[in-house]
Amino acid sequence: MSEVLDALDARLLLLLTDSPRLGVLECARRLGVARGTVQARLDRLTERGILGGFPPELDLAAMGYGLTAFAVLEIAQGRRAEVAEALAAIDEVCEVYATTGQGDLFVRMVARNNDDLQRVVDEVVGAPYVRRTSTSIALSMPVPPRVRPLLERLARS
């Protein structure tokens, strides 16, 4: 079985992580491969769902949403789809994960301040089939979201 990513894929993804606005030709030049090779790799990475696009990196705090909170939700059995749909309708809900353990869903949400967070939590609690929540406010982010160490390991192989 072939690996999901090889060293060239990893180097290409690292390059685009550092400079997402680079064109295919410049990527090829920096990687020392043909333009067609880079294009074929990008197409394959996209088709396989590894590369989902090039969204801008946004700072939610700079946009006025300086408070991040996480909630563990316990929901009625068999109602995950309905709860997820209701949570997706709340603008401040950024991510929702179905989990194992104490709760059923893990929710990341943002707010402008504590009063705004109370409003958001009230909306979350008001979603149908939500039975119980436990909310924690994030104080800092010692390790931001990252994939770089994984890509660097693959790039070295």
Side-chain angles (χ1 to χ4, degrees):
M1 179 179 144
S2 64
E3 289 188 45
V4 174
L5 293 176
D6 65 15
L8 181 57
D9 290 330
R11 289 176 41 224
L12 175 58
L13 290 172
L14 281 167
L15 183 61
L16 290 171
T17 298
D18 292 340
S19 304
R21 296 175 64 167
L22 284 182
V24 173
L25 190 59
E26 182 60 18
C27 287
R29 187 188 70 72
R30 291 187 189 189
L31 294 170
V33 297
R35 180 198 175 286
T37 300
V38 169
Q39 188 63 59
R41 296 290 180 124
L42 288 173
D43 291 345
R44 191 183 85 234
L45 291 167
T46 302
E47 288 168 10
R48 294 170 73 190
I50 294 169
L51 180 61
F54 299 94
E57 184 177 320
L58 303 175
D59 185 329
L60 290 170
M63 293 172 50
Y65 293 92
L67 199 150
T68 298
F70 299 93
V72 176
L73 277 57
E74 293 179 21
I75 63 173
Q77 282 191 329
R79 299 299 186 165
R80 185 176 62 224
E82 292 98 322
V83 175
E85 185 178 337
L87 294 174
I90 302 170
D91 294 340
E92 293 83 2
V93 170
C94 298
E95 297 174 81
V96 178
Y97 295 89
T99 61
T100 61
Q102 281 298 104
D104 302 302
L105 297 174
F106 187 73
V107 179
R108 181 174 71 96
M109 60 189 114
V110 295
R112 295 184 180 280
N113 53 45
N114 287 348
D115 290 336
D116 193 37
L117 177 60
Q118 182 64 62
R119 178 191 58 78
V120 175
V121 169
D122 289 345
E123 286 188 52
V124 168
V125 171
Y129 308 112
V130 171
R131 299 293 182 236
R132 179 175 304 203
T133 66
S134 175
T135 304
S136 299
I137 295 174
L139 300 176
S140 67
M141 188 188 310
V143 179
R146 64 195 185 126
V147 296
R148 175 172 286 285
L150 300 172
L151 291 173
E152 287 174 345
R153 181 189 315 157
L154 289 168
R156 288 189 300 267
S157 63

